[in-house]
Amino acid sequence: MIISFIALLLYCTNSYGVESGTVRMQINGGTAWTNINISESYAECESLNSPTSTLGTSALKAHLTTDADWSAMAIFSVSQYGGATDNSPKTTTGNSSGIYNVGSNWTQTTGILSTANKNSTPYVSGLFNDDGSIKKYIKDLVPFHPMGSSPYANGGILLKELKVPSIDKYAVKVDKPGSIEKEDMRVLGEFIRDIIKENPTNYRLFGPDETMSNRLNKVFEVTNRDWYLTKKDNDEYLSVDGRVMDSYLSEHACEGWLEGYLLTGRHGTFASYEAFIRIIDSMASQHAKWLKVCNELSWRKDIASLNYILTSNVWQQDHNGYTHQDPGFIDHLANKKADIVRVYLPPDSNCLLSCYDHIIKTKNYINVIVASKHMRPQWLTMDEAKEHCAKGLGKWEFASNDKKGTDVVLVSIGDAPTLENIAAVKLLREYLPEVKVRFINVVDLMKLQPNTRHPHGLTGEEYNKLFTKDKPIIFNYHGYPTLIHEFTYERENKNVSVHGYMEEGTITTPFDMRVKNEIDRYHIVIDVIKHLDIYKTKKGKEIIKIMKEKLKHHDEYIKEYGIETEEVRNFRWE
């Protein structure tokens, strides 16, 4: 309490030019003002205006337990307990207990610590020089600069660029699209491992006990989990200097740690199950608001971006089920300021490496990557992935046959929708080879918005050139379909159909999850036919019937055997 009072004196005397030894302060935020005159090692408090509160003896007793307490209260009574019914100060002179000799309903004014008591009040008499100035050792206890002037409060001042190795070192060799399968997150783990190795003091990986589950095992080749408590024989990867913060099952804690780490000039990433990142919706929202305001302040230095990797995603929850299926974090952040939020959905390992290589070097953004941790076909070489991710979206020639015109535009956004769209193209080539398909993959979700809405957005001319002005566009999207409708609402081509997560889920096979939400290959083929003239023909109806029979066979097969059908298990792009 005494130190707080001294800090107040320093602040007031330095800020308002009050004469040495005198502080003029407002009582309880009201209109009354009080002078505190400091001289000859005692404090005199004088009430100058109308009453503001009533203090009973019992209320005061709780604060006065020692001589030091009552000495301090003699000073603090004005600011804490209000004004007076008159302008005549009361005194504690001769009352060593520190309790005012007043009735319980007396309206207290101020206390005078008299010269008669100054020898018995060492905590007060030791604070001031004879001329009323504050002793040097007290001044030395108060920080010379206000807290906000610390470089840690403006972390960009301390920010150092990360040493990031070339992603070519981790590239997956793809001889032809779909010829090899990899776990995308496991490939990324090798990259993050070496980032940690190259930056042992200013990069951390955060996550609520899921680093191994999210296939980032490789990081434990160079570091451990940060852990300060006792260790048991069966514990693994624990040390006091670990760079992985994942030994505490709390998304709130992880988010708070990461934000504090970024705000004080370091770099990091939060890797989480997709469904449970929703726990920190409000914290991410507040960070977005903070960044928005900071971007308007010239003195606020850039900080490293807040980076999320969302995996264990909605489309494969073999044993967790419906509770672990929620892609809505994208929708939540998509409503924040366009110059803050970026969302990437890489379709394979090389694209994931390219996206992460980009976001980890950015400043003042909130970046979201949604990735798969399961075995998936690999589509692009590293060079192709770099070019594709730099553009944010583009036509995949190997899955398109639109050189002589376009009948339908098939768009995939996310790893599972990409696999299903490519499988749908294979079916279309088998049953309807005459249908001309333009296959587009989107990595940067914000590309779909008009450039007037988002700096990454396509212009109207660019959008029409790629998506056409009038041909049917069938989106197969990782998340909730309504977001795609929102993003494309202002586009010229309104002939749009969107497949995505429809809040249907359970513990089932990955392909059955897609079937339940109609993002699977068979539903896509049916939708393509419905958007073409062939829908009304006998051939069109026959093919729709075949697709429905395949769906029925799938349903019966997984109930009988608990695994995907042979057609699904053995799918290969050729």
Side-chain angles (χ1 to χ4, degrees):
M1 180 180 292
I2 292 290
I3 296 300
S4 298
F5 175 61
I6 299 304
L8 175 64
L9 296 183
L10 286 172
Y11 176 78
C12 291
T13 54
N14 290 337
S15 299
Y16 297 106
V18 181
E19 292 180 5
S20 176
T22 302
V23 175
R24 182 170 171 78
M25 58 186 296
Q26 200 165 13
I27 303 174
N28 295 333
T31 58
W33 288 86
T34 294
N35 282 346
I36 299 178
N37 301 309
I38 303 165
S39 60
E40 297 182 6
S41 302
Y42 70 90
E44 176 185 6
C45 302
E46 179 183 6
S47 174
L48 298 179
N49 214 320
S50 59
T52 58
S53 66
T54 299
L55 174 70
T57 303
S58 59
L60 183 62
K61 281 182 179 179
H63 296 282
L64 304 180
T65 58
T66 68
D67 286 348
D69 284 335
W70 79 259
S71 299
M73 287 308 301
I75 299 173
F76 273 93
S77 59
V78 176
S79 61
Q80 291 198 5
Y81 296 119
T85 53
D86 57 44
N87 289 329
S88 58
K90 305 301 184 287
T91 180
T92 60
T93 302
N95 185 2
S96 60
S97 68
I99 304 301
Y100 289 92
N101 295 317
V102 293
S104 59
N105 294 322
W106 178 71
T107 301
Q108 188 213 345
T109 171
T110 60
I112 295 178
L113 189 61
S114 72
T115 53
N117 282 339
K118 67 178 181 179
N119 293 328
S120 63
T121 56
Y123 281 88
V124 174
S125 61
L127 299 179
F128 306 102
N129 299 311
D130 291 339
D131 62 358
S133 62
I134 299 171
K135 289 184 177 291
K136 182 180 183 301
Y137 83 94
I138 293 296
K139 289 183 179 180
D140 291 342
L141 295 175
V142 181
F144 179 77
H145 296 291
M147 185 165 56
S149 68
S150 166
Y152 293 101
N154 192 355
I157 296 173
L158 304 173
L159 186 65
K160 296 179 180 179
E161 295 297 330
L162 284 177
K163 299 175 183 178
V164 181
S166 169
I167 55 175
D168 293 337
K169 177 180 177 181
Y170 316 94
V172 174
K173 184 179 180 182
V174 181
D175 294 326
K176 60 179 182 178
S179 62
I180 186 175
E181 290 190 344
K182 287 284 187 179
E183 294 171 298
D184 299 347
M185 286 295 292
R186 199 176 296 277
V187 174
L188 179 66
E190 298 178 13
F191 185 35
I192 294 179
R193 173 199 62 198
D194 291 349
I195 290 176
I196 293 174
K197 184 178 180 181
E198 293 293 326
N199 303 272
T201 61
N202 68 330
Y203 176 92
R204 285 185 184 270
L205 180 63
F206 298 78
D209 89 334
E210 296 160 356
T211 303
M212 300 286 275
S213 174
N214 289 334
R215 307 294 195 268
L216 295 173
N217 315 49
K218 289 290 185 177
V219 301
F220 293 116
E221 294 179 2
V222 298
T223 190
N224 293 291
R225 297 180 172 96
D226 197 52
W227 186 255
Y228 287 81
L229 302 181
T230 57
K231 292 187 285 188
K232 298 181 179 179
D233 292 340
N234 61 342
D235 284 336
E236 59 179 3
Y237 306 127
L238 301 181
S239 71
V240 296
D241 60 350
R243 309 308 294 172
V244 178
M245 309 292 289
D246 84 335
S247 299
Y248 188 49
L249 185 53
S250 170
E251 284 79 3
H252 291 112
C254 293
E255 175 73 13
W257 289 337
L258 175 54
E259 287 190 24
Y261 200 61
L262 299 178
L263 293 174
T264 50
R266 279 77 67 84
H267 305 258
T269 299
F270 189 163
S272 172
Y273 277 29
E274 181 182 42
F276 299 127
I277 200 67
R278 301 304 309 271
I279 293 171
I280 54 89
D281 272 6
S282 62
M283 298 177 75
S285 177
Q286 292 304 313
H287 191 75
K289 294 174 185 295
W290 186 86
L291 286 173
K292 185 263 184 186
V293 174
C294 286
N295 287 342
E296 300 169 359
L297 303 174
S298 59
W299 53 267
R300 175 63 69 175
K301 303 302 181 182
D302 294 344
I303 63 168
S305 296
L306 174 57
N307 300 313
Y308 297 100
I309 300 177
L310 310 185
T311 187
S312 297
N313 67 50
V314 61
W315 297 115
Q316 187 153 353
Q317 291 295 335
D318 302 346
H319 59 278
N320 286 318
Y322 193 38
T323 58
H324 287 55
Q325 295 158 357
D326 187 348
F329 191 65
I330 298 173
D331 301 63
H332 172 62
L333 287 185
N335 290 293
K336 305 309 172 188
K337 283 293 184 179
D339 58 348
I340 301 296
V341 175
R342 307 287 184 266
V343 180
Y344 303 95
L345 296 102
D348 66 4
S349 297
N350 286 334
C351 287
L352 176 56
L353 287 169
S354 180
C355 287
Y356 190 76
D357 181 56
H358 167 69
I359 69 167
I360 200 63
K361 300 171 184 175
T362 63
K363 308 292 189 297
N364 301 332
Y365 292 149
I366 296 179
N367 294 308
V368 180
I369 291 178
V370 183
S372 170
K373 71 177 186 181
H374 298 285
M375 295 297 287
R376 289 286 185 268
Q378 302 300 304
W379 308 111
L380 303 182
T381 67
M382 180 54 80
D383 288 340
E384 291 169 339
K386 288 178 181 178
E387 181 180 358
H388 182 54
C389 293
K391 292 179 179 178
L393 80 175
K395 184 174 76 169
W396 283 6
E397 295 290 351
F398 73 86
S400 302
N401 64 339
D402 64 335
K403 293 182 179 179
K404 295 183 179 181
T406 303
D407 294 319
V408 63
V409 180
L410 205 54
V411 186
S412 65
I413 313 172
D415 65 282
T418 298
L419 172 58
E420 292 306 313
N421 273 16
I422 287 178
V425 168
K426 186 175 181 179
L427 289 170
L428 287 170
R429 291 185 180 182
E430 178 181 352
Y431 291 99
L432 290 169
E434 69 275 16
V435 173
K436 302 177 183 64
V437 177
R438 177 174 294 178
F439 191 102
I440 296 174
N441 178 262
V442 178
V443 178
D444 181 349
L445 186 62
M446 301 306 177
K447 284 288 184 180
L448 297 179
Q449 294 194 79
N451 66 314
T452 55
R453 298 283 183 181
H454 195 283
H456 285 198
L458 297 178
T459 65
E461 182 180 355
E462 291 169 335
Y463 186 90
N464 289 340
K465 183 178 180 180
L466 188 59
F467 291 88
T468 77
K469 291 184 178 182
D470 55 3
K471 301 301 179 183
I473 307 172
I474 298 176
F475 286 94
N476 203 0
Y477 171 52
H478 172 88
Y480 292 105
T482 50
L483 186 62
I484 304 303
H485 286 293
E486 178 184 338
F487 278 9
T488 60
Y489 178 77
E490 297 180 35
R491 297 301 188 181
E492 183 176 349
N493 190 342
K494 306 296 184 184
N495 192 4
V496 172
S497 174
V498 184
H499 296 249
Y501 184 60
M502 301 189 300
E503 203 62 35
E504 293 291 338
T506 185
I507 299 175
T508 187
T509 69
F511 185 74
D512 191 49
M513 266 296 298
R514 300 165 202 167
V515 170
K516 290 183 180 299
N517 292 276
E518 300 184 4
I519 75 160
D520 64 282
R521 61 202 70 179
Y522 305 130
H523 279 102
I524 296 298
V525 170
I526 292 171
D527 201 18
V528 168
I529 294 173
K530 286 182 177 180
H531 281 81
L532 300 175
D533 293 337
I534 195 174
Y535 176 53
K536 299 177 181 179
T537 67
K538 181 180 179 179
K539 184 177 181 180
K541 292 178 181 178
E542 288 176 350
I543 297 172
I544 288 177
K545 182 180 178 182
I546 292 171
M547 296 300 114
K548 289 182 176 179
E549 288 174 350
K550 288 180 179 291
L551 287 167
K552 182 180 179 182
H553 173 60
H554 151 78
D555 186 58
E556 294 171 348
Y557 192 91
I558 64 167
K559 288 178 180 177
E560 179 70 20
Y561 301 104
I563 59 175
E564 315 291 17
T565 64
E566 290 187 12
E567 180 177 339
V568 174
R569 293 200 314 270
N570 299 329
F571 170 77
R572 294 292 184 273
W573 171 257
E574 296 175 351

